Amino acid sequence: MEPTEFRKGNDPKSSVLLVLAALIWGTAFVAQSEGMKYVGGFTFIGVRYLLGGLVLLPVLAVMRKHSPAVGDEVREKEMPEEFRVGIRGGICCGLCLFVATSLQQFGIVYTTVGKSGFITTLYIVIVPILGIFSHKKTGLGLWVSVILATAGMYLMCINEGFTIGRGDFLIFLCAIAFSFHILIIDYFSPRANGVLISCVQFFTVGVLGSILMLLIEKPEITEILAAWAPIGYAGVLSSGVAYTLQVVAQKKLQPTVASLIMCLESVFSLLAGWLILHERLSVRELAGCALVFAAIILAQLPSKRK
């Protein structure tokens, strides 16, 4: 039996970690929106993710220093292989994350913070559909949760006379890319160190963003320094902390359950827009939030009965 099959379920502690990650990501939409007032999209992405990777380097050093003692033979055979898998997984995750975060960063310019959050979480529908092609088993309860969450997002995002704008379309493509990102993490996280995967993926995104930054945007250092607050929040918390929580938590969660929990990001983004940017919540939007929360609770019930 494969490690991912044996270890995955609805672990409560892992669920809490993902809720915390969703909270950080939701509020980071405000930072992304504000950051674009000072620098270009690739500049924000490059500096943000390089900062996120640098934050994790000391964590990797501490983990290596305090790693449990093992026999010389085991260390020679298992540790190098796990390291190679972590590097390979980090690069694959980084490539996918770069596509997703680029679409999101540029899409958020043409739409609102709250709407961006909810369109992004369409991956809760896309992930189980993609899972069918990789022979992932999805129970009836999870599909009902997906339907509830989709209905909630409809109430939040779709207005009368709705048309797909440039920003909405870019964010939708971002949701597809994040769906693949979730499934790639689902494959690599049980096989390698989660912090190593996160660190490598951040440097991968940071390098790609920096290359395009220098080729296309060519920012002044004063512009980057002016955006220190949003870049710092997005780099340290949204990248360095939240994505690591995702990688670690997904070791013990089914990908569909993980995607449902992470859709709370959309609720938090709307609340952040309300509190920080003074966006108002209508009764319809509050009803959408309630449906999303109901979907999260329902997704956790099967494991509790078991």
Side-chain angles (χ1 to χ4, degrees):
M1 183 177 290
E2 290 292 326
T4 185
E5 294 285 330
F6 177 76
R7 300 171 65 180
K8 291 188 182 295
N10 291 357
D11 180 63
K13 292 181 179 179
S14 297
S15 298
V16 171
L17 292 179
L18 275 186
V19 170
L20 179 58
L23 173 61
I24 296 172
W25 284 328
T27 52
F29 276 99
V30 175
Q32 289 178 256
S33 179
E34 290 298 301
M36 292 290 283
K37 295 179 180 178
Y38 303 95
V39 295
F42 290 123
T43 301
F44 190 92
I45 291 169
V47 178
R48 166 191 177 179
Y49 283 102
L50 287 177
L51 181 59
L54 290 172
V55 167
L56 290 186
L57 287 179
V59 179
L60 277 175
V62 170
M63 290 181 64
R64 182 176 180 182
K65 183 177 180 181
H66 294 87
S67 60
V70 293
D72 290 339
E73 265 187 54
V74 175
R75 184 178 298 276
E76 288 178 5
K77 293 181 180 179
E78 295 185 1
M79 298 301 286
E81 177 60 24
E82 182 178 347
F83 180 80
R84 286 193 292 270
V85 173
I87 296 295
R88 188 165 62 248
I91 293 174
C92 292
C93 290
L95 293 173
C96 194
L97 180 59
F98 175 73
V99 174
T101 197
S102 296
L103 290 167
Q104 185 183 72
Q105 189 65 44
F106 287 99
I108 203 172
V109 176
Y110 303 102
T111 187
T112 64
V113 167
K115 195 172 182 180
S116 296
F118 274 86
I119 296 177
T120 297
T121 51
L122 280 174
Y123 56 63
I124 70 167
V125 180
I126 300 169
V127 165
I129 293 175
L130 293 176
I132 294 175
F133 296 99
S134 58
H135 307 290
K136 297 283 185 181
K137 294 182 178 180
T138 303
L140 177 62
L142 289 177
W143 281 109
V144 173
S145 296
V146 167
I147 294 172
L148 284 175
T150 304
M153 288 188 292
Y154 175 85
L155 292 177
M156 296 295 300
C157 299
I158 308 300
N159 299 315
E160 294 182 5
F162 173 78
T163 57
I164 301 294
R166 181 190 303 180
D168 299 330
F169 182 66
L170 290 175
I171 299 295
F172 176 71
L173 294 179
C174 152
I176 296 176
F178 270 126
S179 301
F180 283 100
H181 184 248
I182 289 172
L183 293 177
I184 293 172
I185 289 177
D186 176 60
Y187 177 81
F188 282 105
S189 61
R191 295 168 169 82
N193 184 294
V195 179
L196 175 62
I197 292 175
S198 286
C199 189
V200 173
Q201 80 167 344
F202 295 155
F203 278 119
T204 300
V205 177
V207 168
L208 292 174
S210 297
I211 291 173
L212 292 177
M213 170 189 75
L214 295 174
L215 291 176
I216 299 174
E217 296 171 351
K218 302 176 182 178
E220 299 289 338
I221 187 65
T222 54
E223 296 173 342
I224 297 175
L225 293 176
W228 71 268
I231 289 177
Y233 184 90
V236 175
L237 290 179
S238 182
S239 299
V241 175
Y243 277 112
T244 301
L245 291 176
Q246 178 193 7
V247 172
V248 172
Q250 275 198 240
K251 288 187 176 184
K252 296 185 179 180
L253 288 173
Q254 298 173 12
T256 304
V257 173
S259 65
L260 282 165
I261 294 174
M262 288 187 292
C263 82
L264 282 173
E265 169 190 354
S266 60
V267 178
F268 292 132
S269 72
L270 196 71
L271 292 175
W274 174 51
L275 291 172
I276 301 173
L277 302 179
H278 308 294
E279 296 176 352
R280 300 182 64 182
L281 291 171
S282 66
V283 174
R284 175 173 174 157
E285 289 169 334
L286 289 173
C289 289
L291 284 177
V292 171
F293 275 111
I296 299 301
I297 294 172
L298 180 60
Q300 301 302 305
L301 291 179
S303 64
K304 291 182 180 179
R305 293 196 199 100
K306 186 175 180 180

